[in-house]
Amino acid sequence: MANDNQAKLSIRDLKVEFRAKGRNTVALDGVHLDVKDGEFVSVVGPSGCGKSTLLKVVTGLLQPASGGAFIDGQPIDGVPDRVGMVFQNDALLPWKTVVQNVRLPLAIKGLPDKEQRREAERLLKLVGLEGFASFYPKQLSGGMRKRVALARTFAYDPDIYLMDEPFGPLDAQTRVKIGEEFLRMWESVGKSVLFITHDIEEAIALSDRVIVMSPRPGRIKAEFPIQLARPRPFYDIRFDPVFKELQKEIWAQMSDGASGGVH
Amino acid sequence: MAEASKRRARSTSFRGREYSKASVWLGRLAVFVLLTGLWELLSGRAFNSFWLSKPSLIADRIVQMLGDGDLWYHMSATLQEAVVGLAIGMVGGTLLGIGLAFSGIFERWIYPFMMALYSLPRVSLAPLFIVWFGIGQSSKILMVVAMVIFVAFYNAFEGMRNIDKDLMDMMSTYKAKWTHKLRWVVLPSITVWILTSVRLNIGMALIGSVIAELVGSNRGLGYYITYSSNMLDTTGIFTGLVLIMLIAVALEQLVLLLERLLLRYR
């Protein structure tokens, strides 16, 4: 699926520092990462390893101390075009209805009203929420809110999807269901994804490549290409022997990190 | 069993209990009847009604004032000053709060002075405003503005600091312009805070207008109260107070209505 000769997103020698109470903490150090066009890359690692920080740099919301990120070879300066972020906590506007939330990126782009409505309705149907257009986020369950957030990002139609533990707050059952739906939706658009998670199974089931990060300061510790055929059954793939083997290896890498980095 | 546990869960949650509308209003009516009834009964029996007047006397006075047009003459003046001053103070204070929250280091320079001004007993400015603007309505409106602007400022400022950062980041990733952010995130976020400050400020606005009227005026409920006091007419004083209360209750209900309209999503 991935186009081999061109990196959509490349991160070079990235170093990010936080200054708190007069002390510098290094969150990320020497991170080197490419995401090809149409490639699905997951980053797993223990909490506090700077996974989310990595995304903040790519969205242009955070300035790195050195190194940088490039999209199509262009350095990221400010919020780049065509990058869509899915937040861990949905980031829906509580005072807007479901359909207005989905329309938001289209309204910002300045599309005509009718087109906004048509596209929002199409996407709500795609995520199975066509009857809930006039509901407020508060009236929905966590899984439904997540669907709205996904529909909104799909409405924006970015070239790169950045996802920060998007299924984190969901219960196990909903998580599998939404993951499956998202995988199906993603397979139909085939855009690049940088996916942050701490769930190894989720990472393997979704990705073309899984990256393991070490605890703070976050460094890339290992990389695993996932050679499982697509389209994949999001849940049943877990019983594949290749999957099991990968899961074991990645887990070994991750738990090893607890006793100090590899570098 | 499920029913029982549901009931228990409901009754233990803090302020989470639902009461029927009828029981709330009947209870309020009972409290009102009890208090005014006690006042009516004790006045003239337990103490001389000259000092505390009597609900029936106050009601008579209101009817009489309605008849000769005094009621509207004084009430409208106070109401106008309070509402105009409240509007100016709310808009000014809120804009100041939003502006200052966006102003970077400027905020750090200004904020302590705002708090210093806030701590002034502003009612003592009334004589100054009357020297500046005379005994007409402008000095009263200025007094009301001075009373309400700080709460408006402070609430807007705190509201700005409490805006969900994820929502702002989300808007940024969609390349929203600041006008979009203002309309979609900032204003809706601080609406709760603004409504709270309007409610707190209704009382402040009435205090401001009445105090300024007490200090120097020829019209308004404050004027009516001082006038009655000079005549040793306690019924007149209490009538003035009751009318101020009525204005406050009416304005508060208006704001509650607005709140229900604007915060439907909750």
Side-chain angles (χ1 to χ4, degrees):
Chain A
M1 181 153 279
N3 179 358
D4 275 332
N5 45 31
Q6 191 205 355
K8 186 78 195 164
L9 167 69
S10 49
I11 295 168
R12 291 278 170 273
D13 298 318
L14 185 70
K15 181 171 184 178
V16 178
E17 289 178 341
F18 287 116
R19 184 183 269 289
K21 291 178 190 146
R23 264 197 358 199
N24 276 351
T25 330
V26 181
L28 291 172
D29 197 7
V31 173
H32 218 77
L33 172 66
D34 280 336
V35 180
K36 289 178 213 107
D37 197 14
E39 191 182 26
F40 199 127
V41 176
S42 286
V43 177
V44 295
S47 48
C49 72
K51 305 184 294 261
S52 303
T53 309
L54 192 63
L55 286 193
K56 281 247 160 95
V57 171
V58 180
T59 52
L61 296 172
L62 197 72
Q63 281 294 323
S66 66
F70 305 82
I71 292 176
D72 292 325
Q74 298 292 316
I76 290 173
D77 179 30
V79 177
D81 290 322
R82 314 212 33 85
V83 160
M85 175 97 172
V86 180
F87 290 80
Q88 187 171 8
N89 66 1
D90 309 335
L92 295 177
L93 299 174
W95 37 81
K96 295 284 182 190
T97 60
V98 165
V99 68
Q100 286 170 324
N101 266 291
V102 175
R103 276 169 63 168
L104 172 83
L106 306 172
I108 292 171
K109 279 184 184 170
L111 255 64
D113 214 53
K114 230 170 108 185
E115 222 166 298
Q116 288 179 30
R117 210 160 335 124
R118 190 164 358 102
E119 179 67 359
E121 270 160 23
R122 183 185 74 81
L123 286 161
L124 282 178
K125 205 166 178 178
L126 192 68
V127 298
L129 287 177
E130 59 265 73
F132 295 90
S134 56
F135 280 55
Y136 285 100
K138 214 190 162 181
Q139 297 169 286
L140 305 180
S141 69
M144 290 157 95
R145 280 205 294 276
K146 189 59 71 186
R147 289 196 176 94
V148 178
L150 286 177
R152 183 179 62 190
T153 310
F154 276 95
Y156 188 55
D157 190 26
D159 285 346
I160 304 175
Y161 288 78
L162 302 171
M163 309 186 73
D164 186 7
E165 300 196 33
F167 310 141
L170 302 175
D171 63 81
Q173 227 176 330
T174 315
R175 218 181 151 110
V176 168
K177 207 154 183 283
I178 302 253
E180 199 170 346
E181 284 171 16
F182 171 66
L183 188 60
R184 180 172 50 76
M185 283 163 79
W186 173 74
E187 275 165 353
S188 70
V189 295
K191 300 285 174 69
S192 310
V193 181
L194 187 57
F195 190 95
I196 305 291
T197 180
H198 54 250
D199 184 332
I200 298 176
E201 296 190 11
E202 189 175 86
I204 302 172
L206 291 169
S207 312
D208 297 316
R209 202 144 48 94
V210 174
I211 307 240
V212 179
M213 282 183 72
S214 67
R216 189 158 291 209
R219 291 189 169 93
I220 290 179
K221 218 171 127 180
E223 226 184 282
F224 297 88
I226 311 293
Q227 269 129 12
L228 294 162
R230 292 192 190 271
R232 287 178 199 162
F234 179 72
Y235 187 72
D236 292 335
I237 193 82
R238 285 154 214 247
F239 306 110
D240 192 300
V242 180
F243 187 102
K244 293 256 180 228
E245 191 51 42
L246 278 164
Q247 190 181 2
K248 216 154 110 192
E249 282 175 41
I250 294 173
W251 172 246
Q253 277 294 339
M254 249 175 103
S255 51
D256 179 42
S259 55
V262 159
H263 274 264
Chain B
M1 173 141 163
E3 194 56 37
S5 69
K6 202 161 125 198
R7 198 174 312 134
R8 195 169 332 116
R10 198 166 54 186
S11 60
T12 49
S13 75
F14 176 63
R15 296 211 53 171
R17 248 185 281 186
E18 292 287 326
Y19 300 102
S20 76
K21 242 188 165 129
S23 65
V24 170
W25 281 102
L26 279 175
R28 284 177 183 172
L29 192 68
V31 172
F32 176 79
V33 169
L34 188 77
L35 290 179
T36 46
L38 268 178
W39 187 4
E40 181 73 33
L41 280 175
L42 293 179
S43 191
R45 292 186 176 86
F47 47 82
N48 190 334
S49 64
F50 172 77
W51 304 114
L52 276 177
S53 188
K54 234 174 163 168
S56 57
L57 290 175
I58 294 169
D60 282 350
R61 179 65 63 89
I62 290 176
V63 171
Q64 179 204 323
M65 284 174 80
L66 255 173
D68 59 21
D70 269 4
L71 186 91
W72 187 240
Y73 179 72
H74 292 303
M75 244 176 127
S76 62
T78 304
L79 190 64
Q80 248 173 45
E81 292 150 13
V83 169
V84 172
L86 185 65
I88 297 174
M90 280 302 306
V91 171
T94 304
L95 288 181
L96 203 65
I98 296 175
L100 213 58
F102 270 131
S103 68
I105 190 152
F106 194 65
E107 171 230 318
R108 302 291 195 86
W109 298 346
I110 298 294
Y111 195 80
F113 297 102
M114 289 296 288
M115 286 299 110
L117 280 177
Y118 178 53
S119 69
L120 269 181
R122 276 153 292 143
V123 288
S124 55
L125 293 175
L128 181 68
F129 293 156
I130 284 164
V131 170
W132 286 354
F133 289 101
I135 61 168
Q137 286 196 309
S138 8
S139 57
K140 279 64 186 184
I141 290 172
L142 193 61
M143 188 68 232
V144 174
V145 171
M147 292 299 283
V148 304
I149 197 164
F150 290 95
V151 173
F153 159 77
Y154 188 76
N155 267 31
F157 187 76
E158 276 302 299
M160 293 295 295
R161 289 164 41 127
N162 276 283
I163 289 176
D164 187 345
K165 204 175 164 296
D166 272 355
L167 292 184
M168 290 301 262
D169 281 351
M170 180 272 291
M171 293 298 281
S172 297
T173 61
Y174 290 132
K175 307 214 62 133
K177 285 187 273 299
W178 72 270
T179 45
H180 287 126
K181 288 185 187 168
L182 196 70
R183 224 184 63 213
W184 292 66
V185 178
V186 174
L187 290 179
S189 292
I190 63 173
T191 300
V192 186
W193 294 79
I194 294 175
L195 285 170
T196 308
S197 72
V198 177
R199 279 177 70 180
L200 292 171
N201 270 334
I202 287 172
M204 297 298 268
L206 285 168
I207 292 173
S209 57
V210 170
I211 294 259
E213 284 168 1
L214 288 176
V215 173
S217 67
N218 48 22
R219 203 182 155 183
L221 292 172
Y223 164 78
Y224 184 74
I225 289 172
T226 18
Y227 175 81
S228 304
S229 150
N230 291 338
M231 301 278 127
L232 301 180
D233 169 17
T234 48
T235 302
I237 297 175
F238 277 105
T239 304
L241 294 175
V242 166
L243 293 175
I244 291 168
M245 237 155 56
L246 284 179
I247 293 180
V249 170
L251 288 178
E252 161 114 19
Q253 289 304 313
L254 268 179
V255 176
L256 281 177
L257 212 70
L258 196 70
E259 209 169 285
R260 223 164 292 153
L261 203 76
L262 287 174
L263 301 182
R264 248 177 322 180
Y265 66 88
R266 304 178 118 196

